[in-house]
């Protein structure tokens, strides 16, 4: 086997599934990565070589354009936030926090609203469309909308991310039938679904097009995707960032200051109240977190 650049498309129990020109092979990683405090993850581009027993070994990890630590996934172009129109109902703060995190990492976010056969999500989606996010309406009983998403991510690496029970696995079945994901019934007692995805894997749709599914999460686990500093928070809300440079004071926090262009934009409807409330909550959480470490 020649030393060359390949891509990890899955990880399980310390074994890496690497896509090569000759197909998918199993590989191990060198212990030196642990010594450096890094670890190969799904989506990484790597170099392979053979050791004495002809076992494939990952010898190097190419520079990442971005990485999500939990779930571990690298080199994403697009994150598809899968949002249920009902059962469970959309949580604006969860969506806004995830959107801000992906903005900070330079990953494009699009929204896929599911279960439109049960409830309408147009008003909720309009909040994000107004500030430039692409949205899709999907029906997991018929597959409506899945082809549009598949066309949109062509030539890109995308990942489905969302709460447990929103229909990620069902949507994945339509976008990538070969994935053969199992779906589960919504637990009405809990108001959410059972976990159907435990590992992060990338599925190749065609040349240079990949889609990954990720484990569902509950609202309290959303922080695992990453945190943003108080100084960076405004820049990760694109409509707030648009007005922040117009504030009278350079260090304006956009919370209660006078002559705040952000608050003025909020007052005349240029910024949605739900988005501003999410910004304020994220900012306050960041300040509290930073004060704890002083």
């Amino acid at each position: 086997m020649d030393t060359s650049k390949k891509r990890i498309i899955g990880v399980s129990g310390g074994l890496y599934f690497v896509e090569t020109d000759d197909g998918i092979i199993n590989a191990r990683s060198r212990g030196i990565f642990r010594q450096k405090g890094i670890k190969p993850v799904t989506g990484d581009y790597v170099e392979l070589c053979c050791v004495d027993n002809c076992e494939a070994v990952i010898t190097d990890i190419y520079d990442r354009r971005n990485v999500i630590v939990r779930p571990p996934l690298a080199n994403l172009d697009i994150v598809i936030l899968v949002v249920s129109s009902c059962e469970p109902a959309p949580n604006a703060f969860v969506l806004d926090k995830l959107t801000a995190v992906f903005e900070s990492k330079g990953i494009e976010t699009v929204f896929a609203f599911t279960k439109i056969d049960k409830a309408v999500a147009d008003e909720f989606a309009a909040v994000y469309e107004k500030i430039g996010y692409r949205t899709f309406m999907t029906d997991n009983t018929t597959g409506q909308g899945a082809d549009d998403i598949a066309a949109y991510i062509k030539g890109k690496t995308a990942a489905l991310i969302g709460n447990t029970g929103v229909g990620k696995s069902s949507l994945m079945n339509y976008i990538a039938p070969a994935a053969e994901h199992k779906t589960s019934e919504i637990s009405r007692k809990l108001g959410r679904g059972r976990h159907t995805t435990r590992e992060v894997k990338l599925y190749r749709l065609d040349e240079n097009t990949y889609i990954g599914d990720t484990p569902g999460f509950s609202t309290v686990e959303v922080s695992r995707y990453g945190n943003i500093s108080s100084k960076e928070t405004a820049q990760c809300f694109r409509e707030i960032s648009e007005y922040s440079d117009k504030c009278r004071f350079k260090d304006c926090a956009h919370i209660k200051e006078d002559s705040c262009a952000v608050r003025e934009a909020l007052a005349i409807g240029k910024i949605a109240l739900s988005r501003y409330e999410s910004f304020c909550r994220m900012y306050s959480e960041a300040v509290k977190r930073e004060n704890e470490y002083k």
Side-chain angles (χ1 to χ4, degrees):
M1 183 191 307
D2 295 330
T3 299
S4 56
K5 183 178 178 180
K6 312 298 181 184
R7 193 171 201 188
I8 298 173
I9 61 170
V11 183
S12 180
L15 191 64
Y16 297 85
F17 306 103
V18 184
E19 185 181 59
T20 74
D21 293 337
D22 299 322
I24 298 172
I25 64 172
N26 299 340
R28 302 284 180 181
S29 68
R30 280 188 165 176
I32 192 172
F33 293 129
R34 289 192 296 272
Q35 297 172 18
K36 294 180 178 180
I38 60 175
K39 183 179 181 180
V41 301
T42 299
D44 269 333
Y45 290 98
V46 299
E47 287 189 358
L48 297 176
C49 74
C50 277
V51 293
D52 293 339
N53 60 0
C54 290
E55 181 183 49
V57 175
I58 297 172
T59 59
D60 198 9
I61 303 171
Y62 283 78
D63 290 340
R64 296 162 172 163
R65 289 184 289 111
N66 51 63
V67 64
I68 300 173
V69 178
R70 295 181 63 192
L73 193 55
N75 298 309
L76 286 173
D77 297 301
I78 298 172
V79 160
I80 303 168
L81 280 185
V82 185
V83 188
S84 176
S85 300
C86 62
E87 297 180 340
N91 184 312
F93 178 65
V94 168
L95 297 180
D96 292 338
K97 183 165 187 178
L98 288 173
T99 302
V101 168
F102 300 136
E103 286 273 346
S104 73
K105 295 178 180 293
I107 304 172
E108 179 186 0
T109 302
V110 304
F111 291 82
F113 289 89
T114 64
K115 305 181 186 179
I116 59 171
D117 55 312
K118 295 183 178 181
V120 177
D122 293 358
E123 185 175 345
F124 203 88
V127 172
Y128 299 95
E129 292 173 346
K130 183 179 179 181
I131 52 178
Y133 289 105
R134 180 66 187 270
T135 65
F136 296 91
M137 297 295 169
T138 67
D139 183 343
N140 287 349
T141 64
T142 64
Q144 175 187 339
D147 287 345
D148 293 332
I149 294 175
Y152 188 80
I153 66 173
K154 189 173 179 62
K156 307 288 186 180
T157 296
L160 299 174
I161 290 177
N163 282 72
T164 300
V166 297
K168 286 192 288 72
S169 293
S170 296
L171 180 57
M172 186 73 166
N173 285 339
Y174 285 110
I175 298 175
E180 297 180 349
H181 276 234
K182 295 180 180 179
T183 58
S184 60
E185 295 292 327
I186 289 292
S187 169
R188 296 191 179 279
K189 181 178 180 181
L190 299 177
R192 56 185 175 85
R194 301 182 184 92
H195 288 273
T196 56
T197 304
R198 291 181 173 82
E199 299 172 351
V200 182
K201 295 180 180 178
L202 287 180
Y203 299 90
R204 183 174 178 176
L205 301 184
D206 54 43
E207 188 175 4
N208 298 322
T209 304
Y210 297 84
I211 187 166
D213 199 359
T214 62
F217 59 85
S218 68
T219 301
V220 296
E221 296 171 324
V222 70
S223 61
R224 70 185 186 178
Y225 285 87
N227 289 309
I228 299 170
S229 72
S230 58
K231 291 183 179 180
E232 297 172 325
T233 306
Q235 298 303 312
C236 296
F237 283 75
R238 53 178 62 174
E239 71 275 48
I240 291 177
S241 177
E242 178 183 350
Y243 291 98
S244 62
D245 292 338
K246 301 175 184 178
C247 289
R248 179 180 177 185
F249 302 107
K250 292 293 184 182
D251 60 348
C252 184
H254 320 301
I255 303 297
K256 57 183 179 181
E257 294 84 352
D258 294 329
S259 301
C260 173
V262 170
R263 288 166 57 79
E264 290 173 356
L266 173 69
I268 60 175
K270 296 292 186 180
I271 297 174
L273 179 60
S274 63
R275 290 277 293 172
Y276 180 73
E277 289 177 340
S278 292
F279 159 74
C280 291
R281 183 173 170 183
M282 280 189 65
Y283 179 85
S284 297
E285 289 181 354
V287 170
K288 180 180 179 181
R289 188 170 59 249
E290 289 158 6
N291 287 337
E292 290 175 349
Y293 286 95
K294 284 185 177 179

